[in-house]
Amino acid sequence: MMDIGKINRILIGHDNVGLRSGWFLASVQITVPVQGRQYMFPCNRWLDKDEADGRVEVEVYPSEILPTEKLINYEVSVVTGDVRAAGTNAKVFMQIYGETGKTELIILENRSNNFERGATDIFKREAADVGKIYKIRIGHDGTGIGDGWFLESVTLKRLSGKAKESDKKKKKKKSDEEEEEDTKAEGGMDVYTFVAHRWLAKDEGDKELVVELVPDGESDLEENTYEVHVLTGTVWGAGTDANVFLSIYGMERGDTGERQLKRSNNLNKFEKGQVDVFTIKAIDLGELKKLRIRHDNSGSRPSWFLERVEIIDLKESTTYYFPCQRWLAVEEDDGQIARELVPVDEAFVKKDSENDSQSPATLGLEQKAKSTTYTVKVKTGDKKNAGTDANVFITLYGSKDDTGIVSLKASKINKNKFERGKVDEFTVESVDIGDLKKIKIGHDNTVVPYEITVYTSDIFGAGTDADVFIVLYGSDGICTQQKSLCLNKREQRMYFERNSVNQFIVELEDIGDIIEKIRIGHNGGGLNSGWHLDRVTIRRLLPNGKGSETVTFPCERWLAKSEDDGETIRELVPSDIFTEKLLKDGTLKQIEEEVEDALEVHTYKISVFTGDIYGAGTDANVFLNIYGDLGDMGERKLSKSETNFNKFERGQEDTFTIQAVDLGILYKIKIRHDNSMFSPDWFLEKVEILDETTEESFVFLCERWLSRKKEDKKIERTLYEQSYDGERNSLDGSSLSVSSQDSNANPKEPRKSSLVKAAEEGSLIPYHITVTTGTEYDSSTDSRVFIIIMGPQKVQTERLWLDLPEGKDEFADGSVEKFSVWGLDVGEIKKVEVGHDGATPESCWMMEELNIVVPTKGVMYNFVCKCWLARDKGDGLTSRILNILDAECVNIGIKILYEVTVVTGDIESGGTDASIFMTVFGSNGNTEEMLLEKNGDRFERGQEDSFIMEIADIAPLRKMRVRTDGKGTRPHWFLERITLKNLTNQEVATFTYGDWLSKLKNDKGSLVCEMPAFINDEQMMEDTTYTLQVKTSDIGGAGTDANVFLILFGEYGDSGTLPLKESNNSNKFERNQMDEFSFSEMLSLGDLCKVRIWHDNKGIAPGWHLEYIDVMDSALDKTFRFQCDRWLAKGEDDGQLIRELACANNDILELKERTAYEIVTVTSDREDADTKENIWIILEGKMGRSKEFLMENSSKKRRFERGATDIFQFPSKNVGDIAAICVGHCPKDGKKSSAKADVFWHVQEITVTEMELCNKYFFRCNVKIPLRYKRRDYKVFECAKVTESFASKARSLVPVKYETIVVTGFEKGAGTDANVFITIYGLNGDSGKRALKQKFRNLFERGKTNRFYLETLDMGELKKVRIEHDNSGLAPGWLVERVEITNSATGVTTIFPCGKWLDENRGDGLICRDLFPTH
């Protein structure tokens, strides 16, 4: 095919002929090796007259062009000799060596009858450009009948590559004649002829199957002979029966390729303490630099301890010594069965052999110094049947060489390698292959033919027409896939007749040398499904192919629903083995032996307990599979209950007996029903299994519904044995979750998830992406959307695919889709690339808006894009780069990543499907209430569930509040404890409860609990009893019958809502009355600063005039007074039912003009970070600028040393809240000449503490500050974090009226009739949820502005507003334009833009939004 250069687009289609001509084309991939490019053409559309737009051809554009290895074309002509039996059926291969390297192994095969006598076979192959060719290696693998081959010659045409693009650019435009000459040169080729005229056969000539040839006429290269001495070690079990392969590498002229070491001077090769001598012929390699030796792990004893290899270059009479002194064994040393060895001086080897007392790895250091160890991690996909039992191999290709084929035999992590969803780790050692360029990985497709003979009994009705299947089990629970013996119903009717013998040859996975058991059964279909099976025999070939082994499995039982025990599946164990071996003298030796250690058939008593709740029973068919460490029993139907005629009824125990071959220790079961019959929903309490043979009992708790209508709508559950503590299947499938199980549930120690490790190291962080699709015609797309986040200096994430959740197949018009992805921490974001993989004209997408939240940085970026990503719209781009400067950047507060572990109690019905909420309190504030996602199987009885959460930076943690909503089919929950591990500093806080959260099962009927934090066994909060005295005023109508509620706020958070129910007076809150309330078992909040008190306005005359509240803390032995003297009444005062009261007895600190500042500097712990000179600092605050503070260094007291923390204190005027600091570096003596250009101070961090109120200001620096004489040169650092003291917060708690303006949008239907609520959040706390109401006013109409006044204690700088509605009324959907809040005391207005709908039927469907201010 002619070279058309870079491919810009393709046209693909069909002729629409045939019955079902319609075709759904997903994608096209085109690889052009000569260009070194791979083109991806995604299509994802029908080419069908009756589907979509009816087109049967389409133009497709490439979505991405990936670089691949550049190859050139070779034409190979092979001439087979015209002598008797010259042809071969073996597999022929070739390798080409040139001045710039070598090709990979090239297989020569293009039809079934290549390499016939006297024939010339021509092959066209693409391979690496190796420059001028100096040799080839050609040979075959010796397989097939008549494998001997007489090779006459090989002609090799190397097609020259085109002129390099860089050269083309340099050349000026040429004349037509010059261009014509160039084309001729490009079309030229190099031709090499290699004359062999020799046999490549085991029984002809030199008996070699491989030969190296030099081009005809090249006289400077000659063939050399290498004598190889292989010394096997003297340790116990050192010898091997495996096949051994060797490659020798030269400094100048390539290598010998891999040669099998077949013909030794000893009949039995590679025995303990033995020296085996082999001869290898190859083109002279020059000085030898290394060798690679390996075995194939075959034979009964493959492990091999290799002492060393000695190679004698017979041409130069030089001996090279390659010491090994290591195992090549899967179960020894590092598990490798291939080693690369480098030569050492003879003196080392002689010294070593004289001194036998030295350790076996004496020369290991010399070898290790010259080799590189690669750790290879292989992850098998998490799809059904993804794993393999085949032999997997890998080749690593470097810029200088490759490792050759390396078998991946010994996984460091898993005994059973390459299983579904697992990661296996291997070690590969190699000597100097250069930088890695590519890898090649594959397997040998290990399936083995088995001859299965089935004997049906000679009794009445013994035959069957059912579908018979079989499963074979090897040792360690390895088994084949279930295989039906008949291909179709015709065969089912023909086979398995009474007294018949049916033979099948089936290919199944290799399960090893021993068949431990088989499972045989049928599906119960057909007219006469009952079957009496006499026995089964299985014959297979011996590993060396010389003979076979037949294993007999007796049965002599019915597989019938109406006979015997009603089972249609049986597990059979072998009784005897008949072996036929072909001996060397040609005779057949027959051995028959009984199986002595066969697995026993065990009887398992299975008790299934249905729950005692309404509607718990089921009429559906129930199926069970049991898993043990020796395998599983296959899925069995639980058909005949021994205890009840009507199975699986409410509160019932049903017992079943199943016989199965010993499963070992049971650790999990899979139980399901088929959702059939009238009432299939089933509440399963537990399953108990008694192994009657060993009398061991196993309990599997469920306490969940198997129902398509209830809970998570699943009808299959995987249950683990109660005491099982190994890994389990991923409990949630969420990318953010820590997997706490293993895919095939091999019992083993739980390991930390890769996500937690990455989060701990800080390499991966979460990004929350929200994408809004436009509403114009054709805005939607079903292409895959991706995002790439870019930082400074080309640091960027990989493509983060924004894959839609199940059930959604497109980014629909006007839709808002949210994604959480983990990507590389790129530092400060500079740019964002967003795009999709659709390349057809139809795959266009209008991106309206893109929102990115980076919780660990505390920022949110919002891009208003309104741009097409389409081939045929706008500028034709399907991806575009957005500059972060074009985004609106909002500060949302830094979040810290925590690993949260929730432990549910091991108590009957302890699990729940209710919604669980968590609030965490720390010394520096508290989080909002956060939902703990159920994600499938979390929060079940006796379970530990771990996942990652983003929590505000409030450490050290003090306490936690957990609440459930008490809803769902199982509303009660027994919470044992919760642990929070800070992934930044590894600090662990434990919160223990050990009780129910339930209206029925909790003594107080509570759905809320509070737990103190335990950090390093220290309780972070004291227990206390709060006594509240509430004084109602002595004025007319002061009393109330309404329900009153209160929240206390203190140093360590808040108390949560306390209902004032049980007073010392029977009639509460009467005029001039003192009511006393006691709350025991509370956590002390330290010094109190405010209370929030309100009532629900119920009862006759609910208005209430409150005089004051006294709160006594028994732990502190302190009383706090909160003066009110105001109405909480709709018709009095300002009409508010809620008041916030400041503590009257807090020491209100007067802000003095003079104060002192403590300055703490941390010098970096790196080389040359320290300085002997002085540092100066100026503080810039909201009330002014400080004078310059000089932090002096002296010879007596050295400051600013590497890694040191230095403390200074200075008196000063009060500058208010510090926004920034200026830091300079000046000479001690003050002389200009002392300011050297190359002197720096590397400062890590500076902390400034205002000593009056004890507010701390943190400045993260991490920069070098140069030494300068002039004060103009300094660095400015902005405040990164403020820790406000309790005294400072309490000081600012004065009542403030906030004017709140809400602007409704002007679009059609923008107004709402729903009830609207607002919560305002500031630095000093929040307002609580407040209803926005006004009497007799129609609020929140289209285009209108509504004004409200809310009184609360000063919240400080406003950080965000939460606006929401209750979705009530006829038209609840609401478009909020913005919210403006003015502090009437300071006159400061904060604007919170919104511009989004609060509507369940539009956009993202939210009716509650968090709005952040624009400054």
Side-chain angles (χ1 to χ4, degrees):
M1 192 171 172
M2 66 178 281
D3 185 357
I4 60 169
K6 187 180 176 183
I7 303 173
N8 292 322
R9 65 179 190 270
I10 61 169
L11 177 68
I12 190 165
H14 61 80
D15 59 7
N16 205 44
V17 174
L19 276 174
R20 289 194 296 273
S21 59
W23 178 33
F24 187 87
L25 174 60
S27 63
V28 180
Q29 179 180 312
I30 300 176
T31 306
V32 188
V34 174
Q35 295 178 359
R37 292 189 184 122
Q38 185 184 72
Y39 299 84
M40 299 295 295
F41 296 89
C43 184
N44 294 314
R45 60 158 289 159
W46 282 98
L47 300 178
D48 190 347
K49 284 274 190 233
D50 306 318
E51 295 279 353
D53 57 3
R55 288 162 64 187
V56 293
E57 67 175 43
V58 65
E59 274 194 3
V60 192
Y61 295 83
S63 64
E64 56 182 341
I65 304 172
L66 302 172
T68 60
E69 188 180 11
K70 218 167 187 175
L71 307 176
I72 65 165
N73 294 314
Y74 291 91
E75 187 179 285
V76 185
S77 302
V78 181
V79 181
T80 301
D82 191 9
V83 299
R84 187 170 173 272
T88 184
N89 295 316
K91 197 175 185 179
V92 175
F93 55 82
M94 183 179 85
Q95 201 163 9
I96 306 167
Y97 287 77
E99 300 289 357
T100 60
K102 63 180 179 182
T103 66
E104 292 175 32
L105 214 61
I106 300 167
I107 304 298
L108 300 179
E109 183 181 43
N110 56 15
R111 62 176 193 268
S112 57
N113 60 342
N114 288 129
F115 313 117
E116 295 297 303
R117 174 178 172 176
T120 300
D121 294 285
I122 297 172
F123 306 90
K124 290 185 177 176
R125 293 290 183 267
E126 290 152 347
D129 186 356
V130 296
K132 188 183 176 188
I133 296 167
Y134 64 79
K135 76 169 180 181
I136 65 166
R137 183 184 311 111
I138 191 164
H140 62 81
D141 62 358
T143 56
I145 301 160
D147 60 312
W149 182 35
F150 190 90
L151 172 63
E152 187 62 49
S153 66
V154 178
T155 304
L156 187 61
K157 292 178 181 175
R158 175 182 171 276
L159 305 178
S160 300
K162 290 185 177 181
K164 289 180 184 171
E165 282 185 29
S166 56
D167 294 344
K168 282 184 185 174
K169 285 176 188 171
K170 289 175 193 171
K171 291 174 187 175
K172 291 180 180 175
K173 198 173 182 185
K174 300 172 183 175
S175 67
D176 292 347
E177 285 172 27
E178 282 179 310
E179 280 190 16
E180 210 172 290
E181 280 174 31
D182 268 11
T183 311
K184 283 178 190 171
E186 282 176 12
M189 58 177 73
D190 303 324
V191 181
Y192 301 86
T193 305
F194 301 87
V195 178
H197 193 70
R198 57 159 291 165
W199 282 98
L200 297 172
K202 298 170 191 169
D203 46 8
E204 298 280 355
D206 59 4
K207 301 182 174 55
E208 288 293 335
L209 303 183
V210 179
V211 65
E212 290 196 348
L213 306 172
V214 293
D216 208 21
E218 294 254 351
S219 55
D220 57 334
L221 287 175
E222 295 176 6
E223 189 176 69
N224 195 355
T225 304
Y226 297 94
E227 192 174 278
V228 179
H229 297 243
V230 180
L231 285 75
T232 299
T234 54
V235 301
W236 186 83
T240 185
D241 300 326
N243 299 310
V244 176
F245 302 85
L246 176 77
S247 306
I248 308 170
Y249 292 78
M251 289 281 190
E252 300 149 20
R253 290 287 179 190
D255 55 71
T256 62
E258 191 170 81
R259 310 285 182 99
Q260 188 176 347
L261 300 181
K262 280 187 175 176
R263 288 183 301 284
S264 165
N265 55 327
N266 300 301
L267 186 66
N268 196 359
K269 305 186 289 291
F270 312 121
E271 290 302 304
K272 176 181 170 182
Q274 189 170 289
V275 180
D276 292 282
V277 182
F278 305 88
T279 302
I280 289 178
K281 290 182 177 177
I283 300 302
D284 189 19
L285 300 168
E287 188 185 340
L288 304 189
K289 69 170 180 179
K290 70 171 182 179
L291 65 82
R292 181 184 299 123
I293 192 162
R294 73 171 182 96
H295 66 74
D296 61 2
N297 209 45
S298 62
S300 57
R301 292 185 296 111
S303 299
W304 184 31
F305 189 90
L306 173 61
E307 180 64 34
R308 69 174 180 272
V309 179
E310 296 175 4
I311 299 179
I312 303 169
D313 180 337
L314 295 180
K315 182 180 164 193
E316 298 288 334
S317 301
T318 309
T319 304
Y320 297 87
Y321 297 91
F322 297 86
C324 178
Q325 298 169 334
R326 290 183 77 175
W327 284 97
L328 284 77
V330 172
E331 58 282 328
E332 301 280 355
D333 202 338
D334 59 359
Q336 290 191 70
I337 54 172
R339 299 268 175 227
E340 289 201 357
L341 309 176
V342 292
V344 300
D345 198 275
E346 182 182 1
F348 283 112
V349 179
K350 293 294 180 234
K351 177 198 83 171
D352 208 36
S353 55
E354 286 164 20
N355 187 4
D356 285 339
S357 64
Q358 281 185 294
S359 67
T362 322
L363 289 166
L365 184 63
E366 282 80 354
Q367 294 291 346
K368 198 75 179 168
K370 293 186 180 176
S371 66
T372 306
T373 303
Y374 296 93
T375 300
V376 179
K377 290 184 180 177
V378 182
K379 175 150 193 212
T380 303
D382 193 9
K383 292 193 182 299
K384 192 177 179 185
N385 302 330
T388 182
D389 297 323
N391 296 310
V392 176
F393 50 82
I394 193 168
T395 307
L396 311 184
Y397 292 87
S399 52
K400 298 179 185 175
D401 198 0
D402 61 71
T403 60
I405 291 174
V406 178
S407 292
L408 300 180
K409 290 282 184 187
S411 171
K412 291 180 179 178
I413 300 172
N414 305 304
K415 187 177 178 183
N416 196 3
K417 308 182 292 292
F418 311 119
E419 290 301 305
R420 172 179 173 175
K422 283 232 211 118
V423 176
D424 293 285
E425 193 174 298
F426 304 88
T427 301
V428 175
E429 267 184 15
S430 182
V431 176
D432 191 24
I433 62 169
D435 294 333
L436 274 183
K437 291 196 305 182
K438 69 170 183 174
I439 64 167
K440 187 179 278 185
I441 191 164
H443 65 78
D444 60 2
N445 199 32
T446 311
V447 287
V448 178
Y450 295 88
E451 181 186 275
I452 299 172
T453 309
V454 180
Y455 296 80
T456 302
S457 306
D458 186 13
I459 62 173
F460 178 73
T464 185
D465 296 335
D467 180 16
V468 174
F469 55 81
I470 193 165
V471 182
L472 276 51
Y473 280 79
S475 53
D476 297 325
I478 298 168
C479 66
T480 66
Q481 300 285 328
Q482 185 170 298
K483 180 89 171 178
S484 289
L485 295 179
C486 297
L487 298 174
N488 49 49
K489 289 197 173 175
R490 183 182 64 80
E491 287 189 3
Q492 288 174 26
R493 289 193 293 272
M494 281 171 56
Y495 298 142
F496 313 120
E497 294 300 302
R498 174 178 171 175
N499 201 27
S500 66
V501 177
N502 303 111
Q503 197 172 79
F504 307 88
I505 293 175
V506 291
E507 284 197 325
L508 295 167
E509 296 87 346
D510 187 356
I511 56 166
D513 298 334
I514 301 163
I515 305 177
E516 294 265 20
K517 69 172 182 181
I518 66 169
R519 184 186 308 126
I520 192 163
H522 62 77
N523 65 350
L527 285 172
N528 307 303
S529 63
W531 182 36
H532 198 284
L533 173 63
D534 185 64
R535 68 187 184 277
V536 178
T537 63
I538 298 178
R539 185 169 83 93
R540 61 178 179 171
L541 300 176
L542 294 173
N544 57 10
K546 295 182 177 175
S548 68
E549 180 182 84
T550 305
V551 188
T552 303
F553 297 86
C555 178
E556 298 173 3
R557 288 188 74 174
W558 283 99
L559 286 80
K561 292 175 185 175
S562 56
E563 301 282 351
D564 203 337
D565 58 359
E567 288 292 330
T568 57
I569 297 173
R570 298 268 174 230
E571 291 202 341
L572 311 178
V573 292
S575 59
D576 48 71
I577 299 174
F578 176 70
T579 310
E580 290 183 309
K581 272 188 185 172
L582 186 67
L583 301 180
K584 287 182 180 174
D585 59 4
T587 59
L588 202 62
K589 184 182 179 184
Q590 298 183 330
I591 309 160
E592 187 159 3
E593 55 188 344
E594 280 192 15
V595 177
E596 291 175 0
D597 301 326
L599 291 172
E600 298 175 32
V601 174
H602 284 208
T603 302
Y604 293 96
K605 209 79 164 174
I606 296 156
S607 299
V608 179
F609 294 82
T610 300
D612 188 11
I613 63 173
Y614 176 75
T618 185
D619 299 325
N621 297 307
V622 175
F623 302 86
L624 175 75
N625 192 1
I626 306 173
Y627 295 79
D629 57 359
L630 298 179
D632 67 278
M633 70 165 196
E635 188 173 82
R636 309 278 186 101
K637 184 179 173 184
L638 299 181
S639 39
K640 283 188 181 175
S641 170
E642 295 169 12
T643 45
N644 302 293
F645 176 72
N646 195 359
K647 309 185 292 289
F648 312 124
E649 290 303 304
R650 173 178 174 174
Q652 198 167 281
E653 177 187 347
D654 292 284
T655 306
F656 305 85
T657 301
I658 289 180
Q659 288 194 330
V661 172
D662 184 12
L663 299 169
I665 304 295
L666 308 188
Y667 66 92
K668 83 168 178 178
I669 63 171
K670 269 189 185 166
I671 192 162
R672 71 173 181 91
H673 66 73
D674 59 3
N675 208 42
S676 62
M677 307 302 280
F678 181 64
S679 54
D681 303 339
W682 185 33
F683 188 87
L684 173 62
E685 188 177 312
K686 65 179 174 180
V687 177
E688 289 182 3
I689 300 175
L690 173 69
D691 183 340
E692 290 192 332
T693 315
T694 62
E695 296 187 345
E696 281 184 283
S697 181
F698 305 90
V699 179
F700 301 86
L701 298 170
C702 181
E703 295 177 355
R704 298 190 73 177
W705 285 96
L706 282 79
S707 165
R708 286 265 187 247
K709 300 172 189 166
K710 299 186 180 182
E711 225 182 298
D712 59 0
K713 300 178 175 55
K714 288 185 180 174
I715 57 169
E716 180 176 320
R717 301 255 175 237
T718 300
L719 309 176
Y720 285 82
E721 211 281 325
Q722 205 173 6
S723 57
Y724 175 69
D725 58 358
E727 284 207 7
R728 305 177 175 210
N729 289 333
S730 174
L731 288 181
D732 50 15
S734 154
S735 62
L736 304 190
S737 151
V738 183
S739 171
S740 56
Q741 296 182 8
D742 159 23
S743 63
N744 64 355
N746 286 333
K748 63 181 179 187
E749 285 303 305
R751 288 193 314 277
K752 196 181 282 186
S753 89
S754 55
L755 194 60
V756 173
K757 282 182 189 169
E760 282 179 347
E761 291 161 7
S763 55
L764 290 183
I765 59 169
Y767 295 95
H768 301 309
I769 318 287
T770 305
V771 179
T772 306
T773 299
T775 51
E776 289 185 30
Y777 173 73
D778 218 13
S779 289
S780 65
T781 185
D782 57 1
S783 302
R784 258 184 111 193
V785 172
F786 67 84
I787 191 166
I788 300 169
I789 296 167
M790 306 173 189
Q793 292 160 351
K794 296 186 178 176
V795 179
Q796 63 181 54
T797 65
E798 57 187 13
R799 272 191 179 186
L800 305 174
W801 291 100
L802 306 182
D803 289 326
L804 291 161
E806 241 176 88
K808 285 191 179 179
D809 54 6
E810 66 168 2
F811 289 83
D813 294 357
S815 69
V816 179
E817 303 295 347
K818 297 186 177 185
F819 307 91
S820 286
V821 291
W822 285 74
L824 184 73
D825 183 357
V826 298
E828 188 185 350
I829 299 176
K830 297 291 185 187
K831 292 177 183 175
V832 173
E833 182 180 349
V834 65
H836 62 82
D837 67 356
T840 59
E842 291 81 15
S843 53
C844 44
W845 181 41
M846 159 70 89
M847 182 172 63
E848 183 81 18
E849 204 170 294
L850 175 69
N851 182 279
I852 301 172
V853 176
V854 192
T856 56
K857 310 288 183 199
V859 287
M860 176 171 80
Y861 301 101
N862 198 62
F863 297 88
V864 178
C865 314
K866 293 191 177 172
C867 58
W868 285 102
L869 295 172
R871 285 276 182 211
D872 59 346
K873 293 196 192 240
D875 54 9
L877 296 173
T878 57
S879 73
R880 76 183 62 246
I881 293 174
L882 310 173
N883 195 311
I884 211 75
L885 298 174
D886 298 330
E888 180 195 351
C889 177
V890 178
N891 190 349
I892 58 167
I894 289 174
K895 297 280 200 299
I896 304 294
L897 298 180
Y898 279 83
E899 183 184 5
V900 180
T901 304
V902 180
V903 183
T904 301
D906 188 6
I907 281 174
E908 189 179 340
S909 304
T912 188
D913 63 341
S915 296
I916 299 167
F917 301 90
M918 175 178 88
T919 312
V920 186
F921 296 82
S923 295
N924 293 308
N926 60 276
T927 67
E928 293 172 31
E929 195 172 65
M930 300 172 286
L931 174 69
L932 302 184
E933 297 283 354
K934 172 74 176 166
N935 270 15
D937 289 344
R938 287 185 190 157
F939 320 128
E940 292 303 323
R941 176 175 172 179
Q943 232 169 248
E944 279 192 23
D945 301 293
S946 292
F947 39 92
I948 293 176
M949 287 187 77
E950 299 147 11
I951 292 176
D953 186 7
I954 56 172
L957 304 183
R958 294 284 182 178
K959 71 169 181 177
M960 178 188 289
R961 183 179 303 136
V962 173
R963 170 180 84 82
T964 80
D965 63 359
K967 293 177 182 174
T969 54
R970 297 176 295 128
H972 320 296
W973 184 39
F974 193 97
L975 169 60
E976 194 65 55
R977 68 179 177 278
I978 297 178
T979 59
L980 262 58
K981 181 182 179 183
N982 185 322
L983 296 180
T984 309
N985 61 18
Q986 311 305 309
E987 187 175 82
V988 177
T990 305
F991 305 85
T992 306
Y993 182 52
D995 201 351
W996 289 96
L997 288 169
S998 162
K999 286 181 179 173
L1000 296 176
K1001 299 189 178 187
N1002 182 289
D1003 294 339
K1004 296 178 181 173
S1006 178
L1007 298 177
V1008 182
C1009 69
E1010 288 203 349
M1011 302 166 281
F1014 281 85
I1015 300 175
N1016 300 326
D1017 296 328
E1018 182 192 345
Q1019 186 171 328
M1020 301 303 287
M1021 287 180 79
E1022 285 185 79
D1023 297 306
T1024 191
T1025 297
Y1026 279 112
T1027 305
L1028 275 65
Q1029 291 183 325
V1030 180
K1031 178 72 175 14
T1032 302
S1033 305
D1034 185 13
I1035 62 173
T1040 185
D1041 297 326
N1043 298 305
V1044 178
F1045 305 88
L1046 170 137
I1047 302 175
L1048 303 174
F1049 294 85
E1051 274 181 281
Y1052 308 132
D1054 67 70
S1055 63
T1057 301
L1058 304 175
L1060 302 184
K1061 276 185 179 175
E1062 293 172 19
S1063 164
N1064 55 334
N1065 300 305
S1066 57
N1067 196 0
K1068 306 186 292 286
F1069 311 122
E1070 290 304 301
R1071 173 175 173 176
N1072 200 28
Q1073 185 172 292
M1074 178 76 81
D1075 291 285
E1076 192 168 291
F1077 304 87
S1078 186
F1079 296 93
S1080 58
E1081 296 177 20
M1082 298 277 289
L1083 295 172
S1084 174
L1085 302 170
D1087 284 338
L1088 300 185
C1089 58
K1090 73 173 180 178
V1091 299
R1092 182 180 298 149
I1093 189 159
W1094 71 97
H1095 64 77
D1096 60 4
N1097 208 42
K1098 288 188 177 168
I1100 301 160
W1104 182 37
H1105 198 284
L1106 170 64
E1107 189 174 333
Y1108 65 83
I1109 301 169
D1110 278 345
V1111 182
M1112 187 187 168
D1113 183 336
S1114 65
L1116 295 178
D1117 193 21
K1118 223 172 168 184
T1119 301
F1120 302 89
R1121 167 67 61 97
F1122 298 90
Q1123 200 71 35
C1124 180
D1125 295 319
R1126 289 187 72 177
W1127 284 98
L1128 285 80
K1130 280 273 178 79
E1132 302 282 352
D1133 203 337
D1134 59 359
Q1136 289 198 162
L1137 303 178
I1138 184 168
R1139 297 273 173 224
E1140 286 198 348
L1141 312 175
C1143 185
N1145 56 337
N1146 270 343
D1147 298 328
I1148 302 294
L1149 289 163
E1150 284 297 320
L1151 195 57
K1152 296 173 184 170
E1153 278 190 19
R1154 300 292 295 175
T1155 185
Y1157 288 100
E1158 182 185 80
I1159 297 168
V1160 179
T1161 64
V1162 180
T1163 304
S1164 303
D1165 189 13
R1166 56 200 284 176
E1167 214 174 322
D1168 301 331
D1170 63 320
T1171 181
K1172 292 176 182 174
E1173 308 301 332
N1174 293 341
I1175 304 296
W1176 59 268
I1177 187 167
I1178 294 172
L1179 313 180
E1180 293 193 344
K1182 290 191 175 175
M1183 290 163 56
R1185 201 168 194 248
S1186 76
K1187 64 177 186 184
E1188 179 190 292
F1189 303 130
L1190 188 65
M1191 297 185 279
E1192 291 184 283
N1193 223 331
S1194 66
S1195 51
K1196 288 180 184 175
K1197 190 169 185 182
R1198 272 297 307 275
R1199 308 279 198 154
F1200 315 120
E1201 292 192 307
R1202 175 179 173 175
T1205 299
D1206 297 294
I1207 302 170
F1208 305 87
Q1209 200 160 341
F1210 302 98
S1212 166
K1213 70 173 186 180
N1214 197 324
V1215 298
D1217 289 337
I1218 302 170
I1221 55 173
C1222 308
V1223 184
H1225 186 189
C1226 59
K1228 256 195 305 194
D1229 54 13
K1231 290 179 184 171
K1232 194 172 183 178
S1233 57
S1234 305
K1236 296 169 190 166
D1238 56 349
V1239 176
F1240 295 90
W1241 175 50
H1242 200 295
V1243 57
Q1244 189 67 37
E1245 187 180 59
I1246 295 174
T1247 309
V1248 180
T1249 307
E1250 192 275 312
M1251 301 307 285
E1252 195 72 33
L1253 292 174
C1254 296
N1255 290 336
K1256 276 192 176 182
Y1257 303 86
F1258 295 89
F1259 300 87
R1260 297 189 182 113
C1261 312
N1262 197 21
V1263 292
K1264 286 179 178 177
I1265 298 179
L1267 184 66
R1268 294 286 185 268
Y1269 169 71
K1270 289 181 180 175
R1271 292 294 200 260
R1272 286 202 303 271
D1273 291 334
Y1274 54 82
K1275 298 274 184 189
V1276 178
F1277 304 106
E1278 288 188 0
C1279 184
K1281 180 181 163 185
V1282 182
T1283 306
E1284 191 177 5
S1285 68
F1286 178 71
S1288 174
K1289 284 178 183 172
R1291 184 186 149 272
S1292 60
L1293 288 175
V1294 292
V1296 169
K1297 262 198 168 65
Y1298 287 94
E1299 181 189 55
T1300 304
I1301 293 172
V1302 180
V1303 182
T1304 301
F1306 203 76
E1307 282 184 35
K1308 188 182 176 186
T1312 184
D1313 299 325
N1315 297 308
V1316 173
F1317 303 89
I1318 193 167
T1319 313
I1320 306 167
Y1321 295 85
L1323 272 178
N1324 294 340
D1326 62 74
S1327 66
K1329 187 170 164 180
R1330 305 286 185 101
L1332 297 182
K1333 289 182 178 177
Q1334 285 177 6
K1335 269 188 182 176
F1336 315 119
R1337 289 279 312 275
N1338 196 0
L1339 302 170
F1340 313 118
E1341 291 301 299
R1342 172 182 169 186
K1344 291 284 189 285
T1345 298
N1346 299 107
R1347 184 178 273 101
F1348 306 88
Y1349 290 93
L1350 305 176
E1351 188 180 284
T1352 173
L1353 295 178
D1354 193 349
M1355 291 179 280
E1357 186 185 342
L1358 301 187
K1359 289 296 181 187
K1360 76 170 182 181
V1361 155
R1362 178 169 295 158
I1363 188 110
E1364 58 192 297
H1365 66 73
D1366 61 2
N1367 210 40
S1368 62
L1370 283 172
W1374 183 32
L1375 177 62
V1376 181
E1377 190 61 41
R1378 67 182 181 277
V1379 176
E1380 296 178 12
I1381 297 176
T1382 304
N1383 181 324
S1384 57
T1386 61
V1388 173
T1389 299
T1390 312
I1391 298 171
F1392 298 86
C1394 178
K1396 286 189 167 59
W1397 286 90
L1398 277 74
D1399 189 343
E1400 284 191 340
N1401 303 313
R1402 293 187 202 234
D1404 53 8
L1406 293 178
I1407 57 170
C1408 172
R1409 287 199 187 279
D1410 285 351
L1411 311 180
F1412 296 92
T1414 54
H1415 296 292

